[in-house]
Amino acid sequence: MTDTPTSAPASTPAPSSTLRPGRLGVLGIVFFVVAASAPLIGITGAVPVAMLLGNGAAVPGAYLAVGITLLIFSVGYATMSRSMTNSGAFFAYVGKGLGLNAGVAAAFAALVAYVTIQLAIYGFFGVVVSGFATGFGLELPWYVWSLLVWVIVSALSLLSVDVGAKVLGVMLVLELLVLVVAAVAILANGGPEGWNFGASFNPTEIFAGGFAGTAGIALAFAFASFIGFEATAIYGEEAKDPKRTVPIATYVSIGVISVLFALVSFAMVTGMGASQVADKVIELSGGLADPAGVLFGLTEQYVGSWLTVAMGILVITSLFAGLLAFQNAASRYFFALGRGGVLPQAMAKTNKAGAPVNGVILTSALAALVMIIFAVAGLDPFANLFSWMSSITVIAIVLVEILVSLAVIRYFMTHEGGNVWSTKIAPALSIVLLGMGLYLLMSRFNLLAGTVPEGVDPSLPESAWLLNPLGWFLVLVPFLALIIGYVVALINKKENEQLVKDFAS
C-alpha cells in the first residue's frame, strides 16, 4: 500500500496540488466527523423539540432508526471507498458510478450542504456566546463574536489537518464525557418512573402517528442530527491506509453518534418520566423558548450545577469544533473541484502545511460575506441564519446520499468487489429509506426552518408542504445546485478531462 491516492492523475501531481498523505488515522477522522455532528448542540437543541412536537418518549428509538438507515447506506459507501481515495468524497463516488456530469452535479449540491451548515453554526455561535458574555456584563452584537471565531477557524484551517484533529480531539472528548456522565447519573437514579424501554424503543411507539404525523417530525429532526458523518471519505487522501481507515471510521462515526443520541435522549426521558415527557419539556424549556433548558435542568437535578456550568462552556467549544470540521470539509471540496478542472486551477493549490489554501480562503470569504449581509439586514442569527441554513444542509446531504447509493449499484455492475449484500441489496434498501427521509425533511421543512405561512400550525399533518415563497426557495436550493452543477459539467467538458482520468482510474 502506498500513500499515493488511487484516484490521482496519471502523471505525478505537483507538490502544490497534493494534500499531504498519512496524517490521519481512524481516531483523527472520527474526531472530525463526530465533532461536525456537534452532539451536545443536537441533544440540547433538536432533541427537546423532537420530543414535544414529535413522538415524545419514543425519540431515542427514532435516533436509532435513523442510525440504522445510515449504517445500511454506509455498507455500499464503505465498500466503494476501498476502490478509490479522493478528497471529493460524494462528488467522486457519484462521478465514478454515474458519470462525470452526475458527479459534478452532486459536488455542487454537497458544497451547498457544507457551506450552509457552517453558516448555520456561525449564527448559533454568535447567539450563544453573546448571551454568555452578557452574563458577565460584556454586551456585544452576535456578529462580533461570530467574526472573531471566524478569524480563529480560518487560521487553524491553514495549518496541517492533524493540528485541527488534535484540537477537535480534546474538545470532543470533554463534550462526550459530560454527556455520558449526565446520562449515567440520570439512569442510575431511575427518575420518577424508572427505565421504560417499551416507551422509547418499541417500533409501534417509534412510528406512532405515521410519517405524516408525530413520527415523521421526530425522524426528520433525527436525520438533521447526523449531518457530517459522510465526511469520512473527504479525508481519504490524508489518511493512513485509506482503504482500511475510511470504512472503519465511517462505521465508528455512525455508531458513536447513534448510541450517544439514543443513550442521552433515553436518559432525558427517564429523568422526566416517560408519561410526563411533553409536560416536562414545556416546563424545563419555557415552551421551547430555551430547548437547552431541558438537559441543563435535568443535569442540575441529578448531578449538580457544576456539570451544568461545564456543559454551558462546552456548548461553545462544540460549536467551535463544528465550525472547524465543516471549514475543512468545504475547503477540500473546493480543492477537489479545482484539481478536476470544474473550478479554477488555483483552487487546487496547497500550502507548505498541506492545507488547500485557496479553498480555505474561499470558504472563509463566503462565510464572512453572508454573515455581514445578515447583520446589515438585521436578520435574526438563530431564527433566520441558523434555521434556514441548517435545513438546507440536511436536504442537500440526504439528496446526495441517494445519488451515492445509486452510484454504488451502477459501479459494481461493471467492477469486481464486495458481495451482493454490500453492492446491491444494501444500497437499494438505503435508497428507499433515504427517499422516505427526504420526503419527511421536505414535508416538515416548515418546522425545521420556520417557514410555515402565518396562521398555520406547523405541527399538524395538514401543514405539510404549506410553505411561504421563501420556504419553497430554500427547500429547492439543493435541487437547483444539482441542476446548475450538471449544466456546468456539460458546458465545461474540455476542462473536465482531468476528472475523466480520475473517475476512470
Side-chain angles (χ1 to χ4, degrees):
M1 180 68 63
T2 66
D3 288 332
T4 304
T6 58
S7 60
S11 58
T12 304
S16 61
S17 62
T18 305
L19 294 172
R20 186 171 293 182
R23 303 305 295 270
L24 293 173
V26 171
L27 284 180
I29 297 175
V30 169
F31 283 151
F32 272 114
V33 172
V34 178
S37 73
L40 185 55
I41 305 305
I43 290 169
T44 56
V47 169
V49 180
M51 286 179 173
L52 185 59
L53 301 181
N55 53 5
V59 162
Y63 275 93
L64 277 187
V66 171
I68 291 170
T69 297
L70 296 177
L71 280 173
I72 292 173
F73 161 80
S74 295
V75 171
Y77 179 56
T79 301
M80 194 166 176
S81 72
R82 298 186 181 97
S83 301
M84 60 189 301
T85 305
N86 189 294
S87 63
F90 279 173
F91 151 53
Y93 284 62
V94 175
K96 201 157 188 174
L98 299 181
L100 172 66
N101 296 340
V104 175
F108 275 60
L111 260 177
V112 164
Y114 290 125
V115 169
T116 52
I117 190 57
Q118 192 190 33
L119 287 167
I121 298 175
Y122 271 122
F124 200 178
F125 184 92
V127 171
V128 172
V129 178
S130 179
F132 187 81
T134 298
F136 291 93
L138 182 59
E139 295 189 23
L140 292 172
W142 69 270
Y143 52 82
V144 172
W145 299 109
S146 294
L147 289 172
L148 178 61
V149 76
W150 170 85
V151 173
I152 299 171
V153 168
S154 299
L156 275 177
S157 298
L158 291 171
L159 298 175
S160 176
V161 69
D162 56 339
V163 173
K166 291 171 185 175
V167 173
L168 289 180
V170 173
M171 293 180 177
L172 183 60
V173 168
L174 292 174
E175 183 179 343
L176 297 182
L177 183 62
V178 298
L179 286 170
V180 171
V181 168
V184 170
I186 295 171
L187 291 172
N189 179 281
E193 301 174 10
W195 299 3
N196 192 333
F197 289 103
S200 293
F201 299 108
N202 189 320
T204 58
E205 297 294 332
I206 295 171
F207 298 104
F211 288 124
T214 54
I217 294 171
L219 290 166
F221 276 94
F223 266 107
S225 298
F226 280 82
I227 296 171
F229 87 89
E230 74 295 329
T232 50
I234 290 177
Y235 301 100
E237 293 186 35
E238 297 158 278
K240 302 170 183 175
D241 190 7
K243 296 183 187 302
R244 175 180 174 276
T245 301
V246 171
I248 293 175
T250 301
Y251 289 126
V252 171
S253 297
I254 296 175
V256 168
I257 296 169
S258 301
V259 171
L260 185 66
F261 272 91
L263 173 69
V264 179
S265 59
F266 180 61
M268 293 167 68
V269 169
T270 300
M272 292 182 285
S275 66
Q276 307 173 55
V277 166
D279 291 338
K280 283 292 186 180
V281 168
I282 291 174
E283 176 188 333
L284 293 171
S285 69
L288 291 183
D290 178 23
V294 178
L295 181 59
F296 285 7
L298 291 171
T299 300
E300 185 156 353
Q301 177 184 348
Y302 289 98
V303 184
S305 58
W306 66 271
L307 190 60
T308 305
V309 172
M311 275 188 178
I313 296 172
L314 286 171
V315 164
I316 297 174
T317 62
S318 178
L319 288 168
F320 174 78
L323 287 171
L324 186 56
F326 285 117
Q327 174 87 1
N328 280 311
S331 62
R332 278 156 180 76
Y333 255 91
F334 283 123
F335 169 86
L337 287 171
R339 187 173 61 181
V342 178
L343 295 179
Q345 190 66 31
M347 287 294 105
K349 180 182 178 182
T350 57
N351 61 16
K352 292 181 179 179
V357 56
N358 288 332
V360 170
I361 292 172
L362 180 56
T363 302
S364 295
L366 287 172
L369 176 63
V370 173
M371 284 192 285
I372 291 170
I373 290 173
F374 270 70
V376 171
L379 294 171
D380 188 273
F382 184 84
N384 300 135
L385 185 56
F386 175 79
S387 297
W388 294 354
M389 297 299 165
S390 60
S391 300
I392 293 173
T393 298
V394 67
I395 289 177
I397 286 294
V398 174
L399 173 62
V400 179
E401 286 170 354
I402 293 172
L403 291 177
V404 170
S405 294
L406 286 169
V408 171
I409 295 174
R410 177 68 183 82
Y411 176 79
F412 285 107
M413 288 175 64
T414 56
H415 293 77
E416 295 183 358
N419 51 42
V420 174
W421 161 250
S422 63
T423 62
K424 293 181 177 61
I425 297 176
L429 183 57
S430 74
I431 291 170
V432 174
L433 295 174
L434 290 169
M436 294 169 62
L438 184 61
Y439 168 79
L440 293 174
L441 291 165
M442 294 176 67
S443 64
R444 290 299 169 190
F445 191 84
N446 45 26
L447 271 175
L448 294 169
T451 54
V452 64
E454 189 175 349
V456 176
D457 184 349
S459 66
L460 297 176
E462 55 267 29
S463 72
W465 305 106
L466 292 178
L467 304 176
N468 57 32
L470 173 64
W472 276 112
F473 170 74
L474 294 175
V475 83
L476 293 175
V477 164
F479 297 90
L480 293 173
L482 202 70
I483 294 170
I484 292 171
Y486 194 86
V487 172
V488 167
L490 287 175
I491 296 173
N492 210 30
K493 278 187 177 180
K494 185 176 181 181
E495 287 77 5
N496 292 339
E497 289 178 356
Q498 183 58 64
L499 288 183
V500 176
K501 293 179 183 177
D502 282 355
F503 296 150
S505 61

